[in-house]
Structure formats: structure tokens, C-alpha cells
Amino acid sequence: MITMEDIITDGHPLLRTVVDEVPLPLSDEDKNVMKEMAEFLANSQDPKIAKKYGLREGVGLAAPQIGLNKRILAVRAEDSNGELCHYALANPKMLSHSEEKTFLPSGEGCLSVEQDIPGIVPRYRRLKLNGYDIEGNLVEVKAHDFIAIVFQHELDHLNGKMFYDHIDKANPLMPPPGMIPL
Ligand code: K2U
Ligand code: NI
């Protein structure tokens, strides 16, 4: 199982790398990576398991964070209707996004960043993406609000970007005009 020891921390070059697509059809190894990443998120959200293994709660994870140069991400979070959304996607691609942006008023954190970095992280409020699920089907996902934010945070990890790259250094806590907090 994936534990915090497997998660690389800021400064590791892989967090600043545009990582490679995985070959299709998905290999058993890559299917297992997807399964393990999804399981990590579920474990991190189970208070008993998280306490037992010292897991920080995560709602998303990208393969570079566990040291893998692979375009694989997993998301497991409740949407604005309280529905649990969970995805594990290989070779995800953003297809379109809203002009409208949003942000988490409390800012963002990262499993690969130990310290708090306060600041507004502008994100698209809606986005459409596709990717290959663990069965190898090309699936299309439309996400909005919090789930859209999580996907953008994970997609950034596949492109060597960190959440704090989006924070306005001159005015970190000032929401840009016209942006609606989540
Ligand atoms: O990629 C990661 O480091 C996992 C992040 C993803 C994330 C952070 C902020 C906003 C959206 C996604 C972790 O989930 S950070 C911990 C966390 C837990 C619950 C809610 C928000 C952040
Ligand atoms: Ni992160």
C-alpha cells in the first residue's frame, strides 16, 4: 500500500517535470498503480486507517508524487451535492474549461509540501477532461467547483506545476477581481 514514505516532497525534480504518457493498452503494472493510488486516497480518508499508518488526508494524487514518471492521476472527493466522486485516469487531457474562475478561500495544500503556503490559487470553475480508466475505456469527465479544483491541482502535477505557482506573490491574499470563492 502507498504510505507517506512513498510521497516525494517539494524539491524533487519529478515535481518539476512534464511526465510521460503511459503506453496503451494499459499494462498490468500501470493498472496496479491506478488501483494503489485510488486505495491511498480511500485509506487517507478513513480515520482509523489514516491514524494507523500516519496518512495525511488526500482528495487527489498524481503519479509523480509517488516518484513515477507517468501521466496517471486519482481523485476521490465529495462534490457540491455531497456525492462521492472517484476517478483514476491515465493520460488525462483537459478538453475545455470555463472562463469563470474560482478559488478555495482557505487556499490549497499539497501532500508533497509540508509547510502551509497561504494564498489564493485561481482555478477554472468548470472543466471538461478525458482519460483512460482502469478498464482501458476512454472516459469523459465534466467537473465543477471543488472537483474541478482537485482535477486542476492533479493535472498541474503531471505538468511540473505546483499550486503555489498560481499565487500572486505581490498580493497573495487578494482575490483577483470578478473571481467567486468556492
Ligand atoms: O495533490 C496533492 O497534493 C493532494 C492534495 C490535492 C488538493 C489540494 C488542495 C485543493 C485541492 C486538491 C491534497 O488533497 S491536500 C489535502 C486536502 C484534503 C482535503 C481537502 C483539500 C486538501
Ligand atoms: Ni499536490
Side-chain angles (χ1 to χ4, degrees):
M1 73 180 276
I2 295 171
T3 64
M4 297 312 291
E5 285 68 48
D6 301 306
I7 295 181
I8 62 174
T9 49
D10 207 2
H12 189 295
L14 208 48
L15 292 174
R16 289 303 185 180
T17 302
V18 177
V19 295
D20 299 331
E21 292 205 332
V22 296
L24 299 171
L26 292 170
S27 65
D28 289 345
E29 180 203 346
D30 289 339
K31 287 180 181 177
N32 191 54
V33 167
M34 296 169 78
K35 179 174 158 289
E36 293 266 341
M37 288 170 63
E39 280 173 1
F40 169 80
L41 295 178
N43 290 339
S44 78
Q45 295 170 17
D46 178 318
K48 283 206 182 78
I49 299 175
K51 187 169 189 314
K52 180 175 178 184
Y53 294 100
L55 306 181
R56 273 181 67 189
E57 182 188 4
V59 290
L61 189 69
Q65 292 181 279
I66 53 172
L68 298 176
N69 186 328
K70 295 176 181 282
R71 297 186 80 81
I72 295 175
L73 61 78
V75 168
R76 189 182 197 272
E78 281 192 9
D79 67 13
S80 35
N81 304 321
E83 294 280 311
L84 179 67
C85 299
H86 53 91
Y87 300 93
L89 296 176
N91 301 343
K93 284 189 175 60
M94 192 189 291
L95 301 174
S96 63
H97 59 74
S98 60
E99 285 301 307
E100 188 183 1
K101 291 192 169 181
T102 186
F103 61 95
L104 291 175
S106 54
E108 296 188 10
C110 181
L111 293 174
S112 296
V113 178
E114 269 128 12
Q115 73 274 31
D116 284 343
I117 304 179
I120 304 287
V121 181
R123 299 288 189 185
Y124 298 119
R125 186 161 187 194
R126 289 177 298 281
L127 76 120
K128 189 163 71 169
L129 67 142
N130 68 8
Y132 292 87
D133 67 12
I134 198 163
E135 278 83 40
N137 304 309
L138 183 60
V139 297
E140 186 171 289
V141 180
K142 286 182 182 168
H144 58 90
D145 298 330
F146 184 62
I147 303 298
I149 290 173
V150 179
F151 269 113
Q152 289 169 82
H153 182 111
E154 304 315 325
L155 285 165
D156 271 358
H157 278 307
L158 303 183
N159 295 319
K161 293 192 189 121
M162 300 294 283
F163 73 92
Y164 55 78
D165 298 345
H166 301 281
I167 295 174
D168 178 351
K169 289 171 187 50
N171 237 328
L173 300 176
M174 174 74 75
M179 215 175 289
I180 303 114
L182 199 55

